[in-house]
Amino acid sequence: FRNAFQVKLLPRDADPADVRYNMINWVHRSTRGWAYGNSIIDPRTGEIIRGVVTLDSQRARQDFLLGSGLVPPHPVGANSARTSGCDFALLPDLDYLQSADSPEVLTAMAVARIRQLSAHEVGHTLGLAHNFAASTYGRASVMDYPAPFVEIRNGRLDFSNAYAVGIGAYDKFAIRYAYAQFAPGTNEEAELERLVREGVREGMLFLSDDDARPAGAAHPLANLWDNGDDPVRMLRHTLEVRRVGIEQFGLGNITRGTPLSLLEAKFLPLYLHHRYQLQAAIKSVGGVYYTYAVKAEGGPNPPRVFEIVPAERQRQALGAALDTLRVGELKIPARILSLIPPRAFGYEGGVPEFFPKRTAPTFDPIGAATIAADLALTDLLDPRRAARMIQFNAQSREYPHFDEVVSAAVRATWKISSRGDGYADAIQRAVQSLAATRLMDLAANPDASPQVRAAAANGLREIVAFIDSQPKARPAAPSGGDADAEHLRATRDDIERFLTRPDEPRRRTPPLPRPPGDPIGSADQSP
């Protein structure tokens, strides 16, 4: 249908609620929320009578925040805080310069995202559902949730290919199936079947919300806010992007006159830049490739119905996820910590999102490290993932048992050499406590299978055995305790108490909550 889709300004005398007008509404909003694509449908025929889209400015704010945290859009002169320290007396005289990483680049990226989002919501009005597998075969659909694809060129971050332009191959395929009209006398059912088979041959994989959103979801290719066809490889790339961003983070990430305390809001999405790609990689652990197969002439359509992720691939994903627990990945440089004071007066609440902290009002780098570590630990120890691994291992010993995940997590958090750096050691102790807490949570989870709970309890005993193998703690010095010895004794006591008296209430310090997740919404389902 040529010119079937047109965009025009609403006539001045028209009512935007008039059913005769399909509407794209622009809403200014600074808080989190959803964009919408809805339809009014004739229940007698299924005909879409009116489509209504709501787009909002919050999405542009989020994208600009992501970009301005990754690169300094306002570079500073020689007196930059990227050196060993910051002379705050020099702040009023900093020389802000324009460069290729200017705010215009970030604005262009945010506008590219709004273009993609507009097409996404219009797709909903036409009847299309989310396809969270489309990013794995060439950005094939606007109905996926896209993460900005950040490239590294000559040691610098490049946003020129952040978002795709136009609709994708899957969108064209889906619209052909839904809206194609055939000549009189054509066998429509046969033609639609031909279109489906053609799409399957071309790799038009479709996986939607229930396959992607749950923490225990199984399909490695069904993910929100991810990129590429190899989640493990893209996790490593995303971590490298994060490393470059942290290396250049500083005063250049905010404009002159901005309170330095707002650097925290810029730093948060940068520090957690890998969170969605990490979720995607972890889905290979205990993962399954599958399709919405149907019975058809000649066998299932498509033929790949259910296939456990190969054992080697699962172990690669496990290794990549555990790499994010390394102290070097979690440690925030001292030069950044020296730039983030407590919240400025008048900026205590409002729009920007900040890390939860136990050190309020000051920034909590240990808390931030545990939040980042929890991204991997919580998903790896998901009871549904654990149960699948035990089941798959029972079917064939080639697949890793959940015991392997537990032992690997204990090794990655506990069985490593001390760095002798007080800050690094404090991070390591916090991550060790977190690992023990999450294993106790799993061992006490009434919804976990008995075998999963047994594996978690065995991991706790492994931690106790490691603690018992350490040299006896020396007496506390008058000036202060031995932090390592106190930590080991307290962890051992907590585990022993849990294992011997599981019905008693636990003395548990809840881990810090993750900052708000998806750039949109707050519930399990979103448009």
Side-chain angles (χ1 to χ4, degrees):
F1 301 101
R2 297 191 179 278
N3 298 320
F5 183 87
Q6 301 179 34
V7 180
K8 298 179 180 180
L9 293 177
L10 192 67
R12 287 184 177 275
D13 58 347
D15 188 329
D18 191 325
V19 74
R20 293 174 296 177
Y21 295 103
N22 301 296
M23 288 295 303
I24 297 179
N25 302 283
W26 177 257
V27 177
H28 180 58
R29 178 174 60 201
S30 60
T31 56
R32 283 176 173 264
W34 297 336
Y36 288 93
N38 293 322
S39 302
I40 296 176
I41 299 173
D42 187 334
R44 300 166 299 178
T45 64
E47 178 187 3
I48 297 174
I49 297 175
R50 168 176 158 86
V52 182
V53 168
T54 301
L55 303 177
D56 65 274
S57 57
Q58 180 267 354
R59 195 68 55 87
R61 180 187 71 84
Q62 284 284 347
D63 241 73
F64 197 90
L65 180 66
L66 290 172
S68 60
L70 281 165
V71 300
H74 312 284
V76 297
N79 295 321
S80 169
R82 292 185 58 200
T83 59
S84 59
C86 175
D87 185 347
F88 290 93
L90 294 176
L91 287 179
D93 298 319
L94 289 173
D95 180 25
Y96 285 83
L97 306 173
Q98 291 297 312
S99 72
D101 294 327
S102 65
E104 287 75 17
V105 173
L106 303 183
T107 300
M109 183 182 77
V111 171
R113 174 69 176 102
I114 289 294
R115 282 199 298 265
Q116 189 278 339
L117 179 63
S118 304
H120 176 106
E121 301 304 344
V122 169
H124 280 316
T125 71
L126 296 175
L128 300 187
H130 292 140
N131 184 358
F132 291 130
S135 60
T136 65
Y137 52 101
R139 292 169 149 185
S141 177
V142 296
M143 304 311 297
D144 205 334
Y145 282 5
F149 180 51
V150 183
E151 299 174 281
I152 302 174
R153 300 183 189 276
N154 300 318
R156 296 172 64 82
L157 301 182
D158 183 353
F159 294 148
S160 60
N161 194 31
Y163 294 110
V165 176
I167 63 175
Y170 171 82
D171 302 319
K172 297 173 185 178
F173 159 72
I175 291 297
R176 283 181 65 200
Y177 182 88
Y179 289 97
Q181 291 188 341
F182 303 99
T186 302
N187 185 332
E188 183 170 334
E189 182 177 346
E191 283 300 305
L192 292 176
E193 176 67 17
R194 181 185 63 78
L195 281 175
V196 169
R197 289 187 177 277
E198 180 182 299
V200 169
R201 282 196 304 271
E202 295 176 358
M204 300 297 172
L205 180 63
F206 168 67
L207 296 162
S208 201
D209 294 73
D210 289 343
D211 308 281
R213 293 184 182 275
H219 203 300
L221 301 182
N223 298 289
L224 288 64
W225 315 115
D226 68 324
N227 277 305
D229 60 354
D230 185 336
V232 175
R233 178 176 57 82
M234 283 306 302
L235 171 58
R236 299 194 186 282
H237 171 78
T238 303
L239 286 170
E240 184 64 14
V241 168
R242 174 180 179 268
R243 184 194 64 77
V244 173
I246 291 176
E247 186 178 83
Q248 64 184 6
F249 188 85
L251 291 178
N253 293 83
I254 55 175
T255 58
R256 183 191 292 272
T258 299
L260 266 64
S261 58
L262 293 187
L263 276 171
E264 181 182 345
K266 302 280 189 180
F267 187 67
L268 189 153
L270 167 60
Y271 187 68
L272 301 181
H273 179 67
H274 62 300
R275 68 189 298 181
Y276 305 112
Q277 202 64 52
L278 173 60
Q279 291 173 354
I282 288 176
K283 285 182 184 175
S284 290
V285 181
V288 178
Y289 296 108
Y290 61 89
T291 58
Y292 301 146
V294 299
K295 181 178 178 180
E297 184 178 349
N301 180 18
R304 193 181 198 182
V305 178
F306 185 98
E307 180 182 324
I308 299 171
V309 174
E312 180 182 359
R313 181 63 171 172
Q314 292 193 44
R315 292 187 171 100
Q316 289 173 352
L318 174 61
L322 292 177
D323 283 346
T324 66
L325 301 179
R326 293 176 177 174
V327 171
E329 296 288 354
L330 301 173
K331 188 176 179 181
I332 300 172
R335 63 171 181 80
I336 293 178
L337 298 179
S338 69
L339 289 175
I340 304 178
R343 207 79 53 82
F345 176 77
Y347 292 85
E348 295 85 354
V351 173
E353 292 148 354
F354 299 88
F355 286 97
K357 46 183 72 74
R358 301 194 196 281
T359 59
T362 63
F363 183 74
D364 183 359
I366 308 301
T370 60
I371 289 168
D374 208 18
L375 300 176
L377 288 171
T378 295
D379 283 4
L380 285 172
L381 301 179
D382 182 89
R384 293 156 292 189
R385 176 167 292 104
R388 289 198 302 270
M389 296 188 74
I390 293 173
Q391 174 195 327
F392 297 160
N393 177 265
Q395 294 172 215
S396 173
R397 297 292 183 180
E398 69 172 302
Y399 298 114
H401 192 280
F402 180 58
D403 283 336
E404 186 173 328
V405 170
V406 172
S407 291
V410 170
R411 283 196 306 274
T413 55
W414 281 87
K415 300 180 180 181
I416 58 175
S417 59
S418 175
R419 294 174 175 266
D421 173 347
Y423 174 25
D425 289 345
I427 291 175
Q428 196 61 59
R429 287 191 294 268
V431 173
Q432 289 172 342
S433 295
L434 175 67
T437 296
R438 288 310 186 199
L439 284 171
M440 285 188 273
D441 290 344
L442 182 57
N445 188 338
D447 295 325
S449 75
Q451 286 179 287
V452 169
R453 294 172 64 185
N458 192 57
L460 293 169
R461 295 186 182 95
E462 191 175 341
I463 293 174
V464 170
F466 171 78
I467 292 174
D468 289 344
S469 71
Q470 300 305 294
K472 296 300 181 183
R474 61 185 181 273
S479 61
D482 183 327
D484 283 332
E486 292 171 353
H487 162 65
L488 294 177
R489 283 195 296 266
T491 304
R492 193 188 194 288
D493 289 347
D494 286 345
I495 293 175
E496 285 294 313
R497 188 181 303 108
F498 172 79
L499 293 175
T500 56
R501 299 191 292 276
D503 293 334
E504 290 189 6
R506 288 166 58 192
R507 294 193 309 180
R508 178 179 184 272
T509 300
L512 289 171
R514 302 179 186 185
D518 294 354
I520 60 170
S522 58
D524 290 337
Q525 298 292 329
S526 64

